[in-house]
Structure formats: structure tokens, C-alpha cells
Amino acid sequence: QVQLVESGGGLVQPGGSLRLSCAASGFTLDGFAIHWFRQGPGKEREAIAGISGSDGSTWYKDSVQDRFTISRDNAKSTVHLSLDKLEPEDTAVYYCATPKYYSDSYPLPISEYDLWGRGTQVTVSS
């Protein structure tokens, strides 16, 4: 079965860190762009980071540019998202997704994605 599985979420205090993972099952991530999204309480789902499937280039939403880092390990078919200096506003369910026939790091409209994970909850609270 082809799927993406997120892990690594949890409860963390403001200023803390987490490392999220997006693992491919049933296929290899090599060559596929992976984009991370999040959806906070009462908010729309938004793209926050992406990594190219061709050259490893990356893209970040401005509000996370200096705090989040996306990386990929093709040998393990896994993409990681390191979250540092977390703020309460980062509280959300975090999803990874990949679109077909598109390998750039810049995200597409949500409707263009073919495969989504189920998400992992990140809660930032003291």
C-alpha cells in the first residue's frame, strides 16, 4: 500500500524543539518532492516547507524560515522537518504530502496533491 506516515509530534514548551519525520511506504521517495503543511485550530491548512525531488533545493514559509529545517534521506525514504524555537502559534497538525509529476520545492495548491499522510500533532504550551 502506497502511503506517507508522519511521526515525531508531541507536546513541547515554547522555545523547544521537535523533529518530525515523513516516511514513505510502498514506494521510494527518491525523485519526489515532499511538502510539509500544517493546520492549526480554526485555521486553514498552509504550506510551510518543501524539498525538491530533483536537486534537494528547499522552500520555507517566511514565518518559519529561520526556525524550521527540511531535509531528506532517500536511502531511508524519509523526509525530516526539524522545528526549533517553537512558539504557541506553531501548534497544529503537521502533514506531509507529495504531488505527482512535480518535483520542485515550491508548494502547489492543496488540490494538486495526490498523496497525504494522516498528520502528527504538535502542541506548544507551557
Side-chain angles (χ1 to χ4, degrees), residues 6-10 18-22 36-37 48 69 71 78-83 93-95 120-122:
E6 302 94 337
S7 61
L18 285 173
R19 190 189 195 206
L20 309 184
S21 296
C22 171
W36 282 93
F37 293 77
I48 56 171
T69 304
S71 61
T78 302
V79 170
H80 300 289
L81 185 67
S82 296
L83 317 178
V93 179
Y94 285 68
Y95 302 88
T120 185
Q121 175 71 47
V122 171

Side-chain angles (χ1 to χ4, degrees), residues 29-49:
L29 280 180
D30 194 8
F32 286 84
I34 292 293
H35 301 135
W36 282 93
F37 293 77
R38 69 183 180 186
Q39 188 164 14
K43 298 181 180 179
E44 294 186 351
R45 193 170 299 190
E46 62 176 355
I48 56 171

